[in-house]
Amino acid sequence: MKLWEGRFDAPTAKNADLFGDSLPFDKQLWAVDITASLAHAAMLGSCGIIPLEDAQKICAGLEGIAADIENGKLEIAGAEDIHSFVENELVARIGDAGKKLHTARSRNDQVATDFRLYARGSYDNLCDSLVNLVNALLEKAGQGVKHIMPAYTHLRKAQPICAGHFFNAYAEMFMRDLDRVTASRERANVMPLGSGALAGTSYPIDRNITCEMLEFERPCENSLDGVSDRDFVAEYLFDASLVMAHLSRLCEDIILYSTEEFGYFEISDAYSTGSSIMPQKKNPDIAELIRGKTGRVYGHLTAILTTIKGIPLAYNKDLQEDKEGFFDAEKQVINCVDIMAEMLGAISFKVKRMLTAAEGEFCCATDVADYLAKKGVPFRTAHSITGKIVRTCIENGKTLQTMTADDYREFAPEFGDDIVEAVKGKACADARTSLGGGSADNVKAEIKSLKKRLKRYL
Ligand code: ARG
């Protein structure tokens, strides 16, 4: 039965129903729909808008429906949307009292309320997954404390760092995501219920009662905005998109670093795949798939932003398009964050290769220049002398590590015997003790700081 059929002579066309019905996807909102209706009915009863015993009957009926859906006895089908389904079912179970549930309410404020209740849970789930991921990264950073790897600019080797620094960088990104998700959740936690169709209601409702029961921060203060605001959907999708961007960057690094060409990381067999034709292949499919899914989540963000951009106040059916992208993005982002946390545990370091790479391609040249500058040579001069050393090494097939102290002194008298130690990968990385730098000590301190910051979310 349609909730609104009284005004109509003829039923809607079958295809119009198929096209417009949202039940196939909004049935996911059944639990929050019932939760919101329980609060609404209780408020109607306590404000004397409907008799208390009707409110009690409604609540008992709704609880019965919830229990039956929960244990699989009641199939959600045969209605336009989840709101109609629950109301029809309630009336079928308790009769006329059920017909009073929708007093002082519209599906417009109902769906906006349901979806915010649902989104709160989505934010909480994403938070939990992100905490788990940051922990996995910190674990990896801890394992990387004693190892050295090259860091890059322009995808050309630049300077050696402690390997833990790399993982902490990603932990920082996901920490920001946690902060963002938490702030977005706060903004989403405002209650539209009581906005009615668009202009509020003439019944003496008490929105503070429902607000408290549903644990919202406050009731919204403008009914037109209340029924039509979907910022929280866009914000979730943006937050999810940025999480995906960070994951995708991490995937790209993992893919590169696990190639034969780089060879710093090994992804265990459990998280790799083979080829149906090339027997030698071991492919990083999981990382590639996460990178691929990023596009899909961005797509949902673009979709909601485009959907809401031309909507006149207040509710329009366009807004029904807010759900499917959200549900899909939620599923994708949680899956991706969780599988990444798992896969990180399956990545091992190829320690020798990392160190060789960190010392190769004259990665320690900055340290040679810094060595001279610390002895009083102006940095620009030191830079130029080091440039000459690099050029001579290239011409003679030497490296900064195979040069002797005497070789160095041919370029500048300031070089002492300790230059030989100073150009080793580990010494170069560990020399970067400035706050936020890539030394092992800093990595340990940052792990501590991140763990402390993470406590807010435990
Ligand atoms: N299925 C609708 C949605 O998701 C529920 C609200 C319907 N309201 C209306 N005025 N048609 O947006």
Side-chain angles (χ1 to χ4, degrees):
M1 189 194 106
K2 295 270 183 359
L3 297 178
W4 38 263
E5 64 190 15
R7 187 228 177 275
F8 290 79
D9 281 336
T12 35
K14 181 128 195 348
N15 281 339
D17 279 344
L18 284 175
F19 182 72
D21 290 356
S22 54
L23 192 68
F25 51 87
D26 71 12
K27 61 174 150 193
Q28 206 162 325
L29 298 176
W30 72 264
V32 285
D33 189 75
I34 290 176
T35 302
S37 286
L38 282 168
H40 182 66
M43 182 278 292
L44 290 177
S46 70
C47 292
I49 297 167
I50 62 171
L52 253 185
E53 73 217 57
D54 282 345
Q56 281 156 359
K57 266 195 213 156
I58 291 173
C59 290
L62 288 170
E63 269 154 14
I65 293 172
D68 288 351
I69 296 175
E70 186 86 63
N71 61 32
K73 269 202 230 149
L74 178 60
E75 195 205 341
I76 302 177
E80 179 185 339
D81 55 28
I82 189 62
H83 326 295
S84 313
F85 174 81
V86 173
E87 193 176 318
N88 289 344
E89 185 63 29
L90 184 69
V91 173
R93 290 183 182 212
I94 66 163
D96 275 354
K99 294 185 182 165
K100 296 185 180 171
L101 170 61
H102 212 53
T103 313
R105 186 178 73 174
S106 152
R107 277 183 301 163
N108 298 349
D109 58 345
Q110 187 180 0
V111 71
T113 304
D114 289 3
F115 203 6
R116 280 172 191 261
L117 286 173
Y118 182 90
R120 275 190 338 204
S122 311
Y123 277 121
D124 292 342
N125 292 338
L126 185 51
C127 235
D128 289 348
S129 288
L130 285 169
V131 166
N132 184 38
L133 176 60
V134 173
N135 271 322
L137 284 161
L138 293 181
E139 175 79 27
K140 223 64 220 157
Q143 291 165 12
V145 165
K146 37 187 197 308
H147 306 306
I148 303 299
M149 67 186 281
Y152 292 78
T153 67
H154 314 273
L155 200 56
R156 267 85 177 144
K157 277 185 207 163
Q159 293 176 342
I161 52 164
C162 168
H165 203 45
F166 169 88
F167 293 99
N168 276 345
Y170 281 102
E172 292 285 357
M173 295 180 217
F174 294 113
M175 271 306 302
R176 285 197 297 277
D177 288 330
L178 267 169
D179 297 345
R180 200 169 359 255
V181 162
T182 308
S184 300
R185 186 200 191 278
E186 259 176 59
R187 268 189 297 277
N189 199 21
V190 173
M191 187 188 76
L193 193 60
S195 300
L198 77 164
T201 174
S202 57
Y203 293 98
I205 58 171
D206 185 340
R207 297 184 67 204
N208 291 319
I209 294 179
T210 39
C211 187
E212 204 170 300
M213 287 184 78
L214 297 172
E215 293 174 3
F216 279 106
E217 192 53 41
R218 60 181 175 87
C220 70
E221 289 180 46
N222 185 297
S223 58
L224 290 172
D225 183 45
V227 293
S228 63
D229 169 23
R230 295 295 182 276
D231 291 3
F232 68 99
V233 180
E235 276 202 59
Y236 180 88
L237 289 169
F238 174 75
D239 295 350
S241 292
L242 212 45
V243 169
M244 291 305 297
H246 296 149
L247 282 175
S248 192
R249 289 185 70 182
L250 176 55
C251 287
E252 179 64 14
D253 275 334
I254 291 172
I255 292 165
L256 278 175
Y257 293 174
S258 61
T259 55
E260 287 80 16
E261 288 80 356
F262 283 77
Y264 309 151
F265 296 167
E266 176 80 32
I267 308 173
S268 81
D269 287 3
Y271 295 86
S272 305
T273 51
S275 154
S276 61
I277 176 171
M278 297 167 282
Q280 85 285 7
K281 293 277 268 172
K282 185 173 167 188
N283 295 327
D285 277 25
I286 290 182
E288 289 171 321
L289 198 51
I290 296 174
R291 195 178 56 184
K293 283 178 187 286
T294 305
R296 176 164 163 183
V297 176
Y298 287 6
H300 294 317
L301 171 63
T302 308
I304 189 67
L305 290 173
T306 313
T307 295
I308 60 180
K309 86 176 180 56
I311 293 187
L313 281 176
Y315 179 86
N316 296 263
K317 184 79 164 179
D318 317 38
L319 291 174
Q320 182 168 291
E321 281 297 300
D322 58 358
K323 292 172 203 62
E324 285 168 286
F326 185 101
F327 293 148
D328 183 57
E330 173 186 33
K331 192 164 120 200
Q332 301 311 322
V333 71
I334 300 262
N335 279 349
C336 289
V337 171
D338 289 351
I339 193 79
M340 173 57 84
E342 234 183 277
M343 186 173 66
L344 281 170
I347 291 177
S348 54
F349 301 129
K350 291 179 164 170
V351 175
K352 260 207 188 136
R353 179 90 185 223
M354 281 159 62
L355 179 62
T356 313
E359 290 179 341
E361 278 79 37
F362 303 98
C363 270
C364 300
T366 312
D367 301 86
V368 175
D370 288 345
Y371 180 100
L372 288 176
K374 284 175 196 160
K375 298 257 164 154
V377 180
F379 179 76
R380 193 47 62 215
T381 312
H383 185 288
S384 162
I385 295 170
T386 309
K388 285 196 189 89
I389 296 175
V390 168
R391 191 151 30 91
T392 312
C393 280
I394 293 171
E395 282 162 13
N396 302 325
K398 288 194 175 173
T399 70
L400 296 177
Q401 287 74 29
T402 57
M403 294 256 294
T404 64
D406 286 336
D407 291 341
Y408 275 105
R409 274 191 283 272
E410 286 191 17
F411 294 88
E414 287 83 357
F415 282 116
D417 289 347
D418 56 349
I419 181 64
V420 177
E421 282 304 312
V423 292
K424 292 203 169 141
K426 179 142 181 60
C428 296
D430 284 346
R432 296 206 163 75
T433 52
S434 60
L435 181 66
S439 70
D441 281 348
N442 274 359
V443 169
K444 282 188 241 166
E446 194 183 8
I447 293 175
K448 257 198 200 149
S449 152
L450 280 160
K451 277 190 178 153
K452 202 167 143 203
R453 284 184 265 157
L454 202 54
K455 277 207 182 114
R456 262 184 289 164
Y457 302 111
L458 300 179

